[in-house]
Amino acid sequence: MSDSAIHAIAGAAGGIVAMSATYPLIFLSTRAAVETKKEQKSTYQAIVDIIKREGALGLYSGLSSSLLGIAVTNGVYYYFYERSREIILRARTGTNKALSTPESMLTGLIAGSATTVLSNPIWVIQTSQAVRTMGEDNQAITTKKLGFLETVQSILAKDGVGAFWRGIGPALVLVINPIIQYTAFEQLKNFIVSRRTSKLRAAGAATAVAVLTDMDFFLLGALSKLIATTLTYPYIVVKSRLQAGSANALKYKSSLDGLLTIVKEEGIEGLYKGVGSKVVQSVLTAAILFAGQRRIFEMTKAVSTSI
């Protein structure tokens, strides 16, 4: 099995673990992003209200489609990212095996674009499930929750096949999120490895090369995702509203028009609805993913080598 395929498997498995651990925060940030009223609830109050109306399981509406989505997203992303990385490094002369910043951005662009096009229908389904009990005026309504296949049938019956690519515009713009994330991760990783290696060699270990620990991967994953999410969150709001099929959002002429409309109608704060729970969720998910993906990759690699 190729390293790219093993990275894809490890990325999918790590993503499922991370998503399962943080899903209520995803649910809350999605609801908040779709909300168009200026009144904002605290995360605590939002949790209390949802549990009161829908029970504790209400916080997990759309989990099954999210697990499928994260498995596909991470699997495809890691495969294309590692494959592109291998091609770039193979074409390079010399012994340097670290990607430069432009190379990191290029691999992220290739992987992110492929992932976005292939996984967008799953995120449309997840977002539709997460906001199903919200009415058009963003008030809670009593309605039957739909499973994955039922949601697919509902979207097809109401809006047709094209609805599965709602929000693809801002989603493609958001390819910059993983580009920023993985570029920041690669460059921070290269810096730390280089610095620690220099210290080891200065201490007398002439050929030593520093190796990052699980905690290093956890912290670097958290920091790189924090940077990426903070910079791109306004587009996450636009994408969530379009994927949910919000009546207001469907009037947006473009991603930029969506941003300008939100600022006009809701103020700058409208671009950051749900940002608190989203940042916490994204940082935790990325930290768990980076640490877990590395460990799963090593175990899978060992197993495949021994077979």
Side-chain angles (χ1 to χ4, degrees):
M1 188 183 297
S2 69
D3 280 1
S4 298
I6 297 174
H7 273 293
I9 293 170
I16 288 173
V17 172
M19 178 70 76
S20 299
T22 63
Y23 186 76
L25 291 170
I26 297 174
F27 177 82
L28 290 171
S29 65
T30 300
R31 282 274 184 105
V34 173
E35 175 73 71
T36 58
K37 292 189 302 180
K38 290 192 175 183
E39 176 189 358
Q40 295 190 52
K41 298 177 182 177
S42 67
T43 299
Y44 173 76
Q45 188 58 52
I47 291 173
V48 170
D49 287 351
I50 290 168
I51 292 177
K52 187 184 299 182
R53 291 196 312 265
E54 305 170 41
L57 291 179
L59 293 170
Y60 291 88
S61 295
L63 174 61
S64 59
S65 52
S66 285
L67 292 180
L68 175 60
I70 201 66
V72 171
T73 298
N74 283 3
V76 172
Y77 192 92
Y78 272 100
Y79 178 82
F80 279 96
Y81 186 88
E82 293 299 330
R83 190 67 179 155
S84 301
R85 185 174 183 273
E86 288 174 9
I87 292 171
I88 290 172
L89 293 177
R90 221 175 9 241
R92 178 189 294 169
T93 57
T95 59
N96 185 12
K97 295 300 181 183
L99 293 179
S100 66
T101 299
E103 288 170 340
S104 293
M105 295 178 71
L106 176 60
T107 53
L109 177 62
I110 294 169
S113 298
T115 302
T116 297
V117 173
L118 292 172
S119 66
N120 199 76
I122 299 174
W123 295 118
V124 168
I125 294 166
Q126 182 273 329
T127 305
S128 297
Q129 289 179 309
V131 304
R132 180 168 170 76
T133 54
M134 292 174 65
E136 287 299 321
D137 58 353
N138 301 310
Q139 297 293 322
I141 59 174
T142 301
T143 187
K144 177 188 174 185
K145 293 180 181 178
L146 301 181
F148 185 86
L149 292 178
E150 290 175 314
T151 303
V152 171
Q153 293 171 343
S154 175
I155 293 172
L156 282 172
K158 184 179 177 183
D159 301 310
V161 175
F164 289 110
W165 277 272
R166 285 190 303 229
I168 191 66
L172 284 170
V173 172
L174 282 168
V175 167
I176 196 174
N177 185 296
I179 289 176
I180 294 171
Q181 178 189 356
Y182 282 85
T183 298
F185 177 83
E186 284 285 346
Q187 300 315 307
L188 288 169
K189 182 183 74 172
N190 293 343
F191 172 76
I192 292 173
V193 169
S194 176
R195 185 166 180 172
R196 290 181 183 174
T197 298
S198 296
K199 287 183 177 180
L200 288 173
R201 293 182 179 181
T207 59
V209 177
V211 177
L212 297 183
T213 65
D214 287 345
M215 182 54 68
D216 289 327
F217 276 88
F218 185 91
L219 293 175
L220 289 177
L223 180 58
S224 60
K225 191 61 176 180
L226 175 62
I227 295 169
T229 300
T230 301
L231 292 174
T232 60
Y233 191 76
Y235 273 100
I236 294 175
V237 171
V238 175
K239 177 177 72 74
S240 295
R241 293 185 180 189
L242 286 169
Q243 289 181 336
S246 167
N248 290 329
L250 292 178
K251 294 186 292 187
Y252 299 160
K253 298 180 179 67
S254 64
S255 299
L256 179 59
D257 180 61
L259 295 176
L260 295 175
T261 300
I262 291 171
V263 171
K264 180 180 178 180
E265 296 179 353
E266 304 167 46
I268 294 293
E269 62 271 20
L271 297 175
Y272 290 91
K273 286 184 175 178
V275 68
S277 53
K278 181 62 178 178
V279 166
V280 173
Q281 176 271 321
S282 294
V283 168
L284 283 176
T285 298
I288 295 169
L289 171 61
F290 274 82
Q293 193 271 345
R294 172 176 174 264
R295 183 60 62 194
I296 295 169
F297 171 81
E298 291 174 348
M299 291 189 297
T300 307
K301 177 82 169 176
V303 170
S304 65
T305 303
S306 63
I307 294 177

